[in-house]
Amino acid sequence: GDSVTQMEGPVTLSEEAFLTINCTYTATGYPSLFWYVQYPGEGLQLLLKATKADDKGSNKGFEATYRKETTSFHLEKGSVQVSDSAVYFCALSAGGTSYGKLTFGQGTILTVHP
Amino acid sequence: NAGVTQTPKFQVLKTGQSMTLQCAQDMNHEYMSWYRQDPGMGLRLIHYSVGAGITDQGEVPNGYNVSRSTTEDFPLRLLSAAPSQTSVYFCASSYVRTGGGYGYTFGSGTRLTVV
């Protein structure tokens, strides 16, 4: 079945450091890929998405590129801020008859210190 | 637009009690789904629906029932609560448009504790 694997956390960085959170996936066909963010005590917000190979999703300084050859969708940000502290989830939607379903990774806790 | 509304936000149940978590959306989305979030495990799909009258099981369906009599509502019923069902529950609605447009919207969650 479909699966998503994220790098182990938690990740602790100083403000203005470079961020990478690795995400790899297993899926049949051509899934769409997503990054969601969850701030403390809140629900999930879509951060960015990509629907086909080589697409780059971007939002709020975060970027991720859909790499079909390596089945990856790594999240990057050049300079993190304290306000980026949150839990980040990589997810996929397999499409077809599975449009209504998302498969999530286990989440990566990011803490950014001043 | 209210988006996806979940009620209640918090609930404490005793083992063996039953209850219904409510989920409503006002965006006319065809797909709706329920997830549970547990520490270190991400979100796991409980049940989902591709339209009114049509539901199917997800990854962790045991102990939960759903029905979808209208496009707007997708309640999740716990038949006999167990401590293993202590979790945060999220409802989501989604759509697909011709040409590949996708959209998922999550509710704010229900924190359930079973004692």
Coordinates of all heavy atoms in Angstrom, one line a residue, chain A residues 98-102, chain B residues 3-6 21-35 45-52 54-58 66-76 90-96 103-107:
Chain A
S98 N -8.9 7.2 -4.9 CA -8.4 7.6 -3.6 C -8.3 9.1 -3.4 O -7.6 9.5 -2.5 CB -7.0 7.0 -3.3 OG -7.1 5.6 -3.4
Y99 N -9.1 9.8 -4.2 CA -9.0 11.3 -4.1 C -9.3 11.8 -2.7 O -8.8 12.8 -2.2 CB -9.9 11.9 -5.1 CG -9.4 12.1 -6.5 CD1 -10.1 11.6 -7.5 CD2 -8.2 12.6 -6.7 CE1 -9.6 11.7 -8.8 CE2 -7.7 12.7 -8.0 CZ -8.4 12.3 -9.0 OH -7.9 12.4 -10.3
G100 N -10.2 11.1 -2.0 CA -10.7 11.6 -0.7 C -9.7 11.2 0.5 O -10.0 11.6 1.6
K101 N -8.6 10.5 0.2 CA -7.8 10.0 1.2 C -6.4 10.6 1.2 O -5.8 10.7 0.1 CB -7.7 8.5 1.1 CG -9.0 7.8 1.2 CD -8.9 6.3 1.2 CE -8.4 5.7 -0.1 NZ -8.3 4.2 0.0
L102 N -5.8 10.9 2.3 CA -4.4 11.3 2.4 C -3.7 10.2 3.3 O -4.2 9.8 4.3 CB -4.3 12.6 3.1 CG -4.7 13.9 2.3 CD1 -4.8 15.1 3.2 CD2 -3.8 14.1 1.1
Chain B
G3 N -16.2 26.7 6.5 CA -15.2 25.7 6.2 C -15.7 24.3 6.7 O -16.8 23.9 6.5
V4 N -14.8 23.7 7.6 CA -15.1 22.4 8.2 C -15.3 22.7 9.7 O -14.3 23.2 10.3 CB -14.0 21.4 7.9 CG1 -14.4 20.1 8.7 CG2 -13.9 21.1 6.5
T5 N -16.5 22.4 10.2 CA -16.7 22.6 11.6 C -16.9 21.3 12.4 O -17.7 20.4 12.0 CB -18.1 23.4 11.8 OG1 -18.0 24.6 11.1 CG2 -18.3 23.7 13.3
Q6 N -16.1 21.1 13.4 CA -16.1 19.9 14.3 C -16.6 20.3 15.7 O -16.2 21.3 16.2 CB -14.7 19.3 14.4 CG -14.2 18.7 13.2 CD -12.9 18.0 13.5 OE1 -11.8 18.3 12.8 NE2 -12.9 17.0 14.4
L21 N -19.1 12.2 17.2 CA -18.3 13.4 16.9 C -18.9 14.0 15.6 O -19.1 13.3 14.6 CB -16.8 13.1 16.6 CG -15.9 13.0 17.8 CD1 -16.4 11.8 18.7 CD2 -14.5 12.8 17.4
Q22 N -19.3 15.3 15.7 CA -19.9 15.9 14.5 C -18.9 16.6 13.6 O -17.9 17.1 14.0 CB -21.0 16.9 15.0 CG -22.0 16.4 15.9 CD -23.0 15.4 15.2 OE1 -23.0 15.4 14.0 NE2 -23.7 14.7 16.0
C23 N -19.2 16.5 12.3 CA -18.4 17.2 11.3 C -19.4 17.7 10.2 O -20.2 17.0 9.7 CB -17.4 16.3 10.7 SG -16.4 17.0 9.3
A24 N -19.2 19.0 9.9 CA -20.1 19.6 8.9 C -19.2 20.5 8.0 O -18.3 21.2 8.5 CB -21.2 20.4 9.5
Q25 N -19.5 20.5 6.7 CA -18.8 21.4 5.8 C -19.8 22.2 4.9 O -20.8 21.6 4.6 CB -17.7 20.7 4.9 CG -18.3 19.5 4.2 CD -18.5 19.8 2.7 OE1 -18.4 20.9 2.2 NE2 -19.0 18.7 2.0
D26 N -19.4 23.4 4.6 CA -20.3 24.2 3.8 C -19.8 24.6 2.4 O -20.1 25.7 1.9 CB -20.7 25.5 4.6 CG -19.5 26.4 4.9 OD1 -18.4 26.0 4.6 OD2 -19.7 27.4 5.6
M27 N -18.8 23.8 1.9 CA -18.1 24.1 0.7 C -18.6 23.2 -0.5 O -18.0 23.3 -1.6 CB -16.6 24.0 0.9 CG -16.1 24.9 2.0 SD -14.4 24.5 2.5 CE -14.7 23.1 3.4
N28 N -19.6 22.4 -0.2 CA -20.1 21.5 -1.2 C -19.1 20.5 -1.8 O -19.1 20.1 -2.9 CB -20.8 22.3 -2.4 CG -21.8 21.4 -3.2 OD1 -22.4 20.6 -2.6 ND2 -21.8 21.7 -4.5
H29 N -18.1 20.2 -0.9 CA -17.1 19.2 -1.3 C -17.7 17.8 -1.3 O -18.5 17.4 -0.5 CB -15.9 19.2 -0.3 CG -15.1 20.4 -0.4 ND1 -14.0 20.7 0.5 CD2 -15.1 21.4 -1.3 CE1 -13.4 21.8 0.1 NE2 -14.1 22.3 -0.9
E30 N -17.2 17.0 -2.3 CA -17.8 15.7 -2.5 C -17.2 14.7 -1.5 O -17.8 13.7 -1.1 CB -17.7 15.2 -3.9 CG -16.3 15.2 -4.5 CD -16.0 16.5 -5.3 OE1 -16.3 17.6 -4.8 OE2 -15.5 16.4 -6.5
Y31 N -15.9 14.9 -1.2 CA -15.2 13.9 -0.3 C -15.1 14.4 1.1 O -14.8 15.6 1.4 CB -13.8 13.7 -0.8 CG -13.7 13.2 -2.3 CD1 -13.5 14.2 -3.3 CD2 -13.9 11.9 -2.6 CE1 -13.4 13.8 -4.6 CE2 -13.8 11.5 -4.0 CZ -13.6 12.5 -4.9 OH -13.6 12.1 -6.3
M32 N -15.3 13.5 2.1 CA -15.1 13.8 3.5 C -14.4 12.6 4.1 O -14.5 11.4 3.7 CB -16.4 14.1 4.2 CG -17.1 15.4 3.7 SD -18.5 15.9 4.6 CE -17.7 16.6 6.1
S33 N -13.6 12.9 5.2 CA -12.8 11.8 5.8 C -12.6 12.1 7.3 O -12.7 13.3 7.7 CB -11.5 11.6 5.1 OG -10.8 12.8 4.9
W34 N -12.3 11.1 8.0 CA -11.9 11.2 9.5 C -10.6 10.6 9.7 O -10.3 9.5 9.2 CB -13.0 10.4 10.3 CG -14.2 11.2 10.7 CD1 -15.4 11.1 10.1 CD2 -14.3 12.2 11.7 NE1 -16.3 12.0 10.7 CE2 -15.6 12.7 11.6 CE3 -13.4 12.8 12.6 CZ2 -16.1 13.7 12.5 CZ3 -13.9 13.8 13.4 CH2 -15.2 14.2 13.4
Y35 N -9.7 11.3 10.5 CA -8.4 10.9 10.8 C -8.3 10.9 12.4 O -8.9 11.7 13.0 CB -7.3 11.7 10.2 CG -7.3 11.8 8.7 CD1 -8.2 12.6 8.0 CD2 -6.5 11.0 8.0 CE1 -8.2 12.6 6.6 CE2 -6.4 11.0 6.6 CZ -7.3 11.8 5.9 OH -7.3 11.8 4.6
L45 N -6.1 7.3 8.7 CA -7.4 7.4 8.2 C -8.3 6.4 8.9 O -8.0 5.2 8.9 CB -7.4 7.2 6.7 CG -8.7 7.3 6.0 CD1 -9.3 8.7 6.0 CD2 -8.6 6.8 4.5
I46 N -9.5 6.8 9.4 CA -10.4 5.9 10.0 C -11.5 5.5 9.0 O -11.7 4.3 8.7 CB -11.1 6.7 11.2 CG1 -10.1 7.2 12.2 CG2 -12.1 5.7 11.9 CD1 -10.7 8.1 13.3
H47 N -12.2 6.4 8.5 CA -13.3 6.2 7.4 C -13.3 7.4 6.5 O -12.9 8.5 6.8 CB -14.7 6.1 8.1 CG -14.9 4.8 8.8 ND1 -15.1 3.6 8.2 CD2 -15.0 4.6 10.1 CE1 -15.4 2.7 9.1 NE2 -15.3 3.2 10.3
Y48 N -13.8 7.1 5.3 CA -13.9 8.2 4.3 C -15.2 8.0 3.5 O -15.8 6.9 3.5 CB -12.7 8.4 3.5 CG -12.5 7.3 2.5 CD1 -12.8 7.5 1.1 CD2 -11.9 6.1 2.8 CE1 -12.6 6.5 0.2 CE2 -11.7 5.1 1.9 CZ -12.0 5.3 0.6 OH -11.8 4.3 -0.3
S49 N -15.6 9.1 2.8 CA -16.8 9.1 2.0 C -16.5 9.8 0.7 O -15.9 10.9 0.7 CB -17.9 9.7 2.7 OG -19.0 9.9 1.9
V50 N -17.0 9.2 -0.4 CA -16.8 9.9 -1.7 C -18.1 10.6 -2.2 O -18.1 11.1 -3.3 CB -16.3 8.9 -2.8 CG1 -15.0 8.3 -2.4 CG2 -17.3 7.8 -3.0
G51 N -19.1 10.5 -1.4 CA -20.3 11.2 -1.7 C -21.4 10.8 -0.7 O -21.3 9.8 0.0
A52 N -22.5 11.5 -0.8 CA -23.7 11.1 0.1 C -24.1 9.7 -0.2 O -24.2 9.2 -1.3 CB -24.8 12.0 -0.2
I54 N -22.3 7.0 0.4 CA -21.2 6.1 0.1 C -20.0 6.3 1.1 O -19.5 7.4 1.2 CB -20.6 6.4 -1.3 CG1 -21.7 6.3 -2.3 CG2 -19.5 5.4 -1.7 CD1 -21.3 6.8 -3.7
T55 N -19.7 5.2 1.8 CA -18.6 5.3 2.8 C -17.7 4.1 2.6 O -18.1 3.1 2.1 CB -19.1 5.4 4.2 OG1 -19.8 4.2 4.6 CG2 -20.0 6.6 4.5
D56 N -16.5 4.2 3.1 CA -15.6 3.0 3.1 C -14.6 3.2 4.2 O -14.4 4.2 4.8 CB -14.8 3.0 1.8 CG -14.3 1.6 1.4 OD1 -14.4 0.7 2.3 OD2 -13.8 1.4 0.3
Q57 N -14.0 2.0 4.6 CA -13.1 2.0 5.7 C -11.7 2.5 5.3 O -11.2 2.3 4.2 CB -12.9 0.5 6.2 CG -14.2 0.0 6.8 CD -14.1 -1.4 7.3 OE1 -13.0 -2.1 7.0 NE2 -15.1 -1.9 7.9
G58 N -11.0 3.1 6.3 CA -9.6 3.4 6.1 C -8.7 2.5 6.8 O -9.0 1.3 6.9
V66 N -19.6 5.2 10.6 CA -19.9 6.5 10.0 C -21.1 6.3 9.1 O -21.4 5.2 8.7 CB -18.7 7.0 9.1 CG1 -17.6 7.5 10.0 CG2 -18.3 6.0 8.1
S67 N -21.7 7.4 8.7 CA -22.8 7.4 7.7 C -22.7 8.8 7.0 O -22.2 9.7 7.6 CB -24.2 7.1 8.3 OG -24.5 8.1 9.2
R68 N -23.2 8.9 5.8 CA -23.3 10.2 5.2 C -24.6 10.3 4.4 O -24.7 9.9 3.3 CB -22.1 10.3 4.2 CG -22.0 11.8 3.7 CD -20.6 12.1 3.3 NE -20.5 13.4 2.7 CZ -19.7 13.7 1.7 NH1 -18.9 12.8 1.2 NH2 -19.7 15.0 1.3
S69 N -25.5 10.9 5.1 CA -26.9 11.0 4.5 C -27.0 12.3 3.7 O -27.9 12.4 2.9 CB -27.9 11.0 5.6 OG -27.7 12.0 6.6
T70 N -26.1 13.3 4.0 CA -26.1 14.5 3.2 C -24.7 14.9 2.8 O -23.7 14.3 3.3 CB -26.7 15.7 4.0 OG1 -25.8 16.0 5.1 CG2 -28.0 15.4 4.6
T71 N -24.6 15.7 1.8 CA -23.2 16.2 1.4 C -22.5 16.9 2.5 O -21.3 16.8 2.6 CB -23.3 17.1 0.2 OG1 -23.9 16.4 -0.9 CG2 -22.0 17.6 -0.3
E72 N -23.3 17.6 3.3 CA -22.6 18.5 4.3 C -22.1 17.8 5.6 O -21.2 18.3 6.2 CB -23.7 19.6 4.8 CG -24.1 20.5 3.6 CD -25.1 19.9 2.7 OE1 -25.7 18.9 3.1 OE2 -25.2 20.5 1.6
D73 N -22.7 16.7 6.0 CA -22.5 16.1 7.3 C -21.8 14.8 7.2 O -22.2 13.9 6.4 CB -23.8 16.1 8.1 CG -24.4 17.4 8.3 OD1 -23.7 18.3 8.9 OD2 -25.5 17.6 7.9
F74 N -20.9 14.5 8.1 CA -20.2 13.2 8.2 C -19.9 12.9 9.6 O -18.7 13.0 10.1 CB -18.9 13.3 7.3 CG -18.3 11.9 7.0 CD1 -19.1 10.8 6.7 CD2 -16.9 11.8 7.1 CE1 -18.5 9.6 6.4 CE2 -16.3 10.6 6.8 CZ -17.1 9.5 6.5
P75 N -20.8 12.4 10.4 CA -20.6 12.2 11.8 C -19.8 10.9 12.0 O -20.0 9.9 11.3 CB -22.0 12.0 12.4 CG -22.9 11.6 11.3 CD -22.3 12.3 10.0
L76 N -19.0 10.8 13.1 CA -18.2 9.7 13.5 C -18.8 9.2 14.8 O -18.7 9.9 15.8 CB -16.7 10.0 13.6 CG -15.8 8.9 14.0 CD1 -15.6 7.9 12.9 CD2 -14.4 9.5 14.5
F90 N -9.5 14.5 13.6 CA -9.7 15.5 12.6 C -10.6 15.0 11.5 O -10.5 13.9 11.0 CB -8.3 15.9 12.0 CG -7.5 16.7 12.9 CD1 -6.5 16.0 13.6 CD2 -7.6 18.0 13.1 CE1 -5.6 16.7 14.5 CE2 -6.8 18.7 14.0 CZ -5.8 18.1 14.7
C91 N -11.5 15.9 11.1 CA -12.4 15.7 10.0 C -11.8 16.6 8.8 O -11.3 17.7 9.1 CB -13.8 16.1 10.3 SG -15.0 16.0 9.0
A92 N -12.0 16.1 7.6 CA -11.5 16.8 6.4 C -12.5 16.7 5.3 O -13.2 15.7 5.2 CB -10.1 16.4 6.0
S93 N -12.6 17.7 4.5 CA -13.4 17.6 3.3 C -12.4 18.0 2.1 O -11.5 18.7 2.3 CB -14.6 18.6 3.3 OG -14.2 19.9 3.2
S94 N -12.8 17.4 0.9 CA -11.9 17.7 -0.2 C -12.6 17.6 -1.5 O -13.8 17.1 -1.6 CB -10.7 16.6 -0.2 OG -11.2 15.3 -0.2
Y95 N -12.0 18.1 -2.6 CA -12.6 18.2 -3.9 C -11.6 17.9 -4.9 O -10.4 18.0 -4.7 CB -13.3 19.5 -4.2 CG -12.3 20.7 -4.3 CD1 -11.7 21.0 -5.5 CD2 -12.0 21.4 -3.2 CE1 -10.8 22.0 -5.6 CE2 -11.1 22.5 -3.3 CZ -10.5 22.7 -4.5 OH -9.6 23.8 -4.6
V96 N -12.0 17.5 -6.1 CA -11.2 17.3 -7.3 C -11.9 18.0 -8.4 O -13.1 17.9 -8.6 CB -11.0 15.8 -7.6 CG1 -10.1 15.7 -8.9 CG2 -10.3 15.1 -6.5
G103 N -8.2 20.1 -3.5 CA -8.2 20.9 -2.3 C -8.7 20.1 -1.1 O -9.6 19.3 -1.2
Y104 N -8.0 20.2 0.0 CA -8.3 19.6 1.3 C -8.5 20.7 2.3 O -7.6 21.5 2.4 CB -7.2 18.6 1.7 CG -7.1 17.3 0.9 CD1 -6.4 17.3 -0.3 CD2 -7.8 16.2 1.3 CE1 -6.2 16.2 -1.0 CE2 -7.7 15.0 0.5 CZ -6.9 15.0 -0.6 OH -6.8 13.9 -1.4
T105 N -9.5 20.6 3.1 CA -9.7 21.5 4.3 C -9.9 20.7 5.5 O -10.8 19.8 5.5 CB -10.9 22.4 4.0 OG1 -10.7 23.1 2.8 CG2 -11.0 23.4 5.2
F106 N -9.2 21.0 6.6 CA -9.3 20.2 7.8 C -10.1 21.1 8.8 O -10.0 22.3 8.9 CB -7.9 19.9 8.4 CG -7.2 18.8 7.7 CD1 -6.5 18.9 6.6 CD2 -7.4 17.5 8.3 CE1 -5.9 17.9 5.9 CE2 -6.8 16.4 7.7 CZ -6.0 16.6 6.5
G107 N -10.8 20.4 9.7 CA -11.4 21.0 10.8 C -10.4 21.2 11.9 O -9.2 20.8 11.8

